[in-house]
Amino acid sequence: MGTRRWTWFIKAAWGGVIVSAAVLLAWQFHFSGKGNSGVIAGGNGRIEATEIDVAAKLAGRIKTVLVDEGDFVTAGQVVAQMDTEVLQAQLRQAEAQWRQAQNAVATARSRLAQRESEKAASQAVVVQRQAELDAARKRAGRTSVLAREGGVSHQEADDDRARVQSYEAAVIAARAQVAATEAAIATAQSEVLGAESAVEAAMATCERIRADIADSDLKAPRDGRVQYRIAQPGEVLGAGGRVLSLVDLSDVYMTFFLPTAAAGRVPLGSEVRLVLDAAPQYVIPAQVSFVANVAQFTPKTVETAIEREKLMFRIKARISADLLRAHITRVKTGLPGMAYVRLDPRAEWPPHLQVKLPQ
């Protein structure tokens, strides 16, 4: 084949691609029904749903997986279990420490009661020594007068004064003993508080381990369908290791794209009609729940009107949760289709876009 013929063939093929792309874009991003020219825009998309990972909170070995791919699960349903032998041993150890801490509290309280009794006895000794001191002072006063009058010897008066000094020292010693017992009481009270804190710490450890054991039963956080079994029984996972991937069937939507002129006329909450390739006989209602504030496809320079028309904005159309619950067994993700949105809320939907749902 000559050079001219090859050149003609390449130009023809490239022109066909351009024409086909132009036709595809015109169909993908703008649809006009009879009497609705310019008020209904459309774009192709794919049914998607929020994906949720069921993962292990702690590192460990998978004991069993209770569901298979494609199974429906409900919120709170146990879908997998982790091995808990190590946690059970840790719980028994923590419970033993808790009982030991309780015994320490009882011992500390007994010691505190003993110190309080010692204080009471010391206070009684102070009273006794004070009484003896008062009596000695009175006796010393009398013997001092008698000694001056010659009624008693000066030696006896000196002995009574010495006895007073002895009782004064005994009172000081008794009061010091009271102070010592008060310090011992303060120490015993601190020991009681420390023992009680140890009980609370041991109790908290038990509660934490019990919570970890409860978390070893992996539960579905929402109603949905199992999409993938990522790990199998017997495998060892790290903390946060994924076991299952679920699809939240209460949060299903289609993402599609519209050019600037159309996207700028789509407010949140606008009505949308979805037509799936697998079931073109049905028209599913939805609502616009998201309009991107940044273009997804942006040319290098935006200077002319033609270049600005290339800007495409992502739009999300969400299907109502009530409708999804009513047809939960028919909901499937990944299905391609078309999404149509009214640019004028006063316009009527054409007959072929009226809502049609399976019975």
Side-chain angles (χ1 to χ4, degrees):
M1 184 179 293
T3 303
R4 289 186 177 181
R5 298 180 66 183
W6 271 111
T7 303
W8 176 86
F9 177 77
I10 292 172
K11 288 182 177 180
W14 180 247
V17 171
I18 295 175
V19 171
S20 299
V23 172
L24 177 61
L25 287 173
W27 170 251
Q28 178 178 357
F29 300 122
H30 183 75
F31 171 83
S32 297
K34 295 180 181 179
N36 294 85
S37 179
V39 298
I40 296 180
N44 58 15
R46 190 176 298 273
I47 292 294
E48 302 175 50
T50 300
E51 295 185 6
I52 304 172
D53 290 332
V54 178
K57 178 182 176 182
L58 303 174
R61 187 183 304 276
I62 301 176
K63 182 178 181 181
T64 181
V65 179
L66 303 175
V67 293
D68 293 318
E69 294 179 354
D71 288 351
F72 284 94
V73 295
T74 57
Q77 176 181 341
V78 177
V79 295
Q81 294 176 320
M82 304 295 292
D83 186 86
T84 60
E85 288 186 6
V86 175
L87 290 175
Q88 294 289 352
Q90 291 176 351
L91 177 60
R92 290 192 295 271
Q93 180 183 6
E95 289 175 341
Q97 291 174 345
W98 174 66
R99 290 190 295 269
Q100 184 178 4
Q102 286 184 314
N103 293 334
V105 169
T107 301
R109 288 175 177 171
S110 175
R111 190 177 296 113
L112 174 61
Q114 181 180 356
R115 296 294 179 263
E116 290 175 342
S117 298
E118 291 175 353
K119 178 182 176 181
S122 298
Q123 289 174 333
V125 171
V126 169
V127 173
Q128 180 181 358
R129 295 293 180 263
Q130 186 65 51
E132 292 173 347
L133 174 61
D134 293 340
R137 284 174 175 170
K138 292 177 182 178
R139 178 181 177 83
R142 290 194 298 268
T143 55
S144 178
V145 173
L146 292 174
R148 287 195 299 268
E149 295 176 354
V152 296
S153 67
H154 290 287
Q155 181 63 45
E156 186 174 353
D158 292 340
D159 291 342
D160 288 342
R161 285 195 293 271
R163 191 176 294 110
V164 168
Q165 293 176 351
S166 175
Y167 283 132
E168 287 176 345
V171 169
I172 293 173
R175 288 175 178 171
Q177 184 62 34
V178 171
T181 56
E182 289 176 345
I185 287 174
T187 301
Q189 289 174 338
S190 299
E191 291 177 353
V192 170
L193 293 176
E196 290 175 345
S197 298
V199 169
E200 293 178 358
M203 186 182 302
T205 301
C206 292
E207 292 175 355
R208 176 183 58 79
I209 297 174
R210 291 191 186 101
D212 290 340
I213 292 175
D215 288 336
S216 296
D217 289 338
L218 307 185
K219 300 177 181 179
R222 300 182 189 175
D223 296 346
R225 181 189 289 119
V226 179
Q227 188 175 20
Y228 301 112
R229 282 180 57 158
I230 302 173
Q232 302 300 328
E235 293 187 28
V236 177
L237 302 179
R242 298 187 301 164
V243 179
L244 297 170
S245 177
L246 306 180
V247 175
D248 183 4
L249 297 182
S250 65
D251 187 11
V252 180
Y253 54 89
M254 177 181 282
T255 299
F256 60 102
F257 294 85
L258 290 179
T260 303
R265 298 171 59 187
V266 178
L268 293 176
S270 299
E271 292 187 26
V272 180
R273 296 292 186 264
L274 306 180
V275 180
L276 303 180
D277 294 350
Q281 70 274 24
Y282 300 128
V283 179
I284 304 169
Q287 283 189 327
V288 173
S289 61
F290 172 82
V291 178
N293 60 350
V294 178
Q296 302 295 114
F297 307 107
T298 307
K300 294 182 179 179
T301 58
V302 182
E303 297 177 354
T304 66
I306 295 176
E307 292 296 324
R308 289 197 301 272
E309 289 175 358
K310 296 179 182 179
L311 298 175
M312 304 301 296
F313 289 83
R314 181 167 60 96
I315 298 178
K316 184 183 292 185
R318 192 179 304 277
I319 303 173
S320 72
D322 293 337
L323 181 60
L324 292 169
R325 282 192 293 268
H327 303 277
I328 191 68
T329 59
R330 296 175 179 264
V331 179
K332 296 180 177 66
T333 57
L335 298 178
M338 289 290 296
Y340 301 97
V341 58
R342 289 190 304 186
L343 303 181
D344 184 356
R346 296 170 298 180
E348 294 291 335
W349 287 104
H352 64 283
L353 291 182
Q354 296 295 326
V355 175
K356 299 175 186 177
L357 298 174
Q359 299 297 323

